[in-house]
Amino acid sequence: MGIVNVSRRAVLAAMASLALTGCGGSKKANGSDDSKKKNKDSEKSEDEAFSFGGIGDTSSSDASRGLSVDGVYKRVATDSSGKEYRFLLVGMTFENSLDRDSRAPMSYVSCYQNGVKLSQCTKYSDSNTMKTLEPGYSISVCKAFLLEDEGQPVKVKIKSSNSSDYVYENTYPISHLDYTAL
């Protein structure tokens, strides 16, 4: 079985659909979109989305290459005892472009703030991170971290699954974000 070829526009449509539903759900990466409107804004968005969406070297079998960051969000939730907790949620899309079934490589994602690696928020878990995808499908996944400073930017880094090199690194300002309920 070979690697599934998908168009950039089809992947963008899948990512947009997943972003609207939040973390959760999967979609065939080469599925169709009913609203195939062509305008300059959508073409610009497509170019921006793929400026960092195709992470990693596509000629390798690096599983982290199908992971793209959709954004970071401040969230508040309540644990089983009714106590409120706050965390940073990194929303991502994983597209399995390998020639075999695969899971989102969440262990390769980390966040830093003021040069210090943030701890994972163990109270939050996303069931999509454990789902296995067939080649050509994508899924929205999230990973949660505990903030050290609610006003300082957060740097999201994704390591290659083949080496210790980073295939993605971007800093997100979070001071303007409000906490929203999960």
Side-chain angles (χ1 to χ4, degrees):
M1 176 182 277
I3 294 177
V4 175
N5 291 323
V6 294
S7 72
R8 289 172 48 151
R9 192 164 306 282
V11 172
L12 180 62
M15 288 172 54
S17 174
L18 290 171
L20 292 175
T21 60
C23 291
S26 65
K27 183 175 181 176
K28 178 81 172 165
N30 62 358
S32 63
D33 183 7
D34 292 335
S35 60
K36 292 184 178 181
K37 297 179 184 176
K38 291 185 179 180
N39 61 38
K40 291 180 183 178
D41 291 337
S42 67
E43 290 173 8
K44 181 179 178 186
S45 297
E46 178 182 350
D47 292 339
E48 289 172 359
F50 284 93
S51 64
F52 64 86
I55 296 173
D57 177 9
T58 57
S59 65
S60 73
S61 62
D62 188 354
S64 61
R65 76 172 185 240
L67 196 60
S68 62
V69 177
D70 301 327
V72 296
Y73 317 93
K74 289 181 180 176
R75 295 291 192 242
V76 61
T78 306
D79 64 17
S80 58
S81 64
K83 188 172 182 172
E84 184 179 276
Y85 64 99
R86 295 170 180 248
F87 56 97
L88 180 80
L89 194 65
V90 179
M92 295 167 279
T93 300
F94 173 64
E95 178 190 344
N96 183 5
S97 59
L98 300 175
D99 60 355
R100 63 185 183 283
D101 293 356
S102 182
R103 290 185 187 164
M106 301 304 287
S107 61
Y108 299 108
V109 179
S110 56
C111 285
Y112 292 80
Q113 199 173 39
N114 295 322
V116 177
K117 187 174 182 178
L118 298 179
S119 300
Q120 288 186 38
C121 178
T122 57
K123 292 182 180 183
Y124 174 85
S125 66
D126 180 4
S127 62
N128 282 348
T129 61
M130 299 306 295
K131 292 181 179 175
T132 301
L133 296 179
E134 292 179 316
Y137 284 85
S138 63
I139 194 166
S140 179
V141 292
C142 295
K143 189 168 182 179
F145 297 90
L146 299 173
L147 287 171
E148 294 289 325
D149 185 339
E150 295 182 15
Q152 293 298 313
V154 171
K155 184 182 288 186
V156 178
K157 293 182 170 184
I158 302 175
K159 279 188 179 181
S160 168
S161 60
N162 290 335
S163 72
S164 61
D165 296 335
Y166 289 102
V167 294
Y168 177 82
E169 188 174 319
N170 196 15
T171 302
Y172 294 88
I174 61 166
S175 61
H176 68 286
L177 299 175
D178 292 325
Y179 281 97
T180 57
L182 192 58

